[in-house]
Amino acid sequence: MTLPVFARGQGRQAESLARASRLRAELAAARLASATELDTAHEVYRRRVAAADTLARTAVPLQDDNEAAARRAYDVGELGLVDLLAVRRDVLETRQDSLDRSFEAAVAGIELQFSAGALQ
């Protein structure tokens, strides 16, 4: 039976150091990926909220004004029923788009909270 006089655990020590180094690198990569995901989620949320606000502030009120004008024109006989219905369809489509943008902004807000760790 021989005793390992020259081997004093150097192999295990080198293996442990290599494993620790690999784990530190993986941790750094995970932190960077997490920060990038959070930044991206925040930017998506910001843009979707801005799009929803812009549509709600500009397009919806203009469409409401168009509908009111079309209704007045229809009441005095200047506009036919088909034209009035076409205007109302456009108004409803604009409102639907506004609701869609608001929904997308809400979903982006939830995704942002999840990325930030507020939700699990």
Side-chain angles (χ1 to χ4, degrees):
M1 177 179 274
T2 61
L3 294 174
V5 176
F6 296 107
R8 297 192 175 127
Q10 291 137 344
R12 287 189 181 190
Q13 184 180 15
E15 181 182 329
S16 296
L17 289 174
R19 184 170 185 258
S21 177
R22 179 182 52 86
L23 291 174
R24 279 192 292 276
E26 287 178 7
L27 178 62
R31 284 182 177 159
L32 180 60
S34 178
T36 301
E37 180 182 336
L38 183 59
D39 290 345
T40 301
H42 188 266
E43 183 63 20
V44 167
Y45 174 71
R46 187 189 65 74
R47 287 181 186 214
R48 289 196 175 163
V49 166
D53 287 347
T54 299
L55 194 58
R57 279 186 291 109
T58 58
V60 171
L62 289 175
Q63 285 290 52
D64 290 341
D65 292 345
N66 286 344
E67 183 180 16
R71 182 71 181 166
R72 285 191 301 274
Y74 175 75
D75 288 343
V76 296
E78 295 176 352
L79 191 65
L81 180 60
V82 172
D83 295 327
L84 175 64
L85 293 176
V87 169
R88 294 191 78 185
R89 183 190 67 227
D90 289 344
V91 169
L92 291 175
E93 287 175 356
T94 301
R95 287 183 183 162
Q96 180 66 47
D97 286 344
S98 179
L99 290 173
D100 289 344
R101 296 304 157 267
S102 295
F103 176 74
E104 290 171 359
V107 169
I110 291 169
E111 290 173 350
L112 174 60
Q113 290 178 359
F114 182 77
S115 294
L119 301 177
Q120 296 180 356

PDB file of all heavy atoms in Angstrom, residues 49-50 87:
ATOM      1  N   VAL A  49     -48.069  52.205 -23.077  1.00  0.00           N
ATOM      2  CA  VAL A  49     -48.870  53.197 -22.359  1.00  0.00           C
ATOM      3  C   VAL A  49     -48.953  54.479 -23.174  1.00  0.00           C
ATOM      4  O   VAL A  49     -50.022  55.090 -23.296  1.00  0.00           O
ATOM      5  CB  VAL A  49     -48.287  53.457 -20.948  1.00  0.00           C
ATOM      6  CG1 VAL A  49     -48.878  54.707 -20.326  1.00  0.00           C
ATOM      7  CG2 VAL A  49     -48.528  52.255 -20.050  1.00  0.00           C
ATOM      8  N   ALA A  50     -47.846  54.893 -23.768  1.00  0.00           N
ATOM      9  CA  ALA A  50     -47.853  56.110 -24.589  1.00  0.00           C
ATOM     10  C   ALA A  50     -48.775  55.955 -25.788  1.00  0.00           C
ATOM     11  O   ALA A  50     -49.538  56.877 -26.118  1.00  0.00           O
ATOM     12  CB  ALA A  50     -46.435  56.441 -25.050  1.00  0.00           C
ATOM     13  N   VAL A  87     -69.882  55.848 -40.674  1.00  0.00           N
ATOM     14  CA  VAL A  87     -69.200  56.696 -39.693  1.00  0.00           C
ATOM     15  C   VAL A  87     -69.215  56.026 -38.329  1.00  0.00           C
ATOM     16  O   VAL A  87     -68.197  55.973 -37.627  1.00  0.00           O
ATOM     17  CB  VAL A  87     -69.859  58.099 -39.626  1.00  0.00           C
ATOM     18  CG1 VAL A  87     -69.342  58.895 -38.442  1.00  0.00           C
ATOM     19  CG2 VAL A  87     -69.629  58.865 -40.923  1.00  0.00           C
TER      20      VAL A  87
END
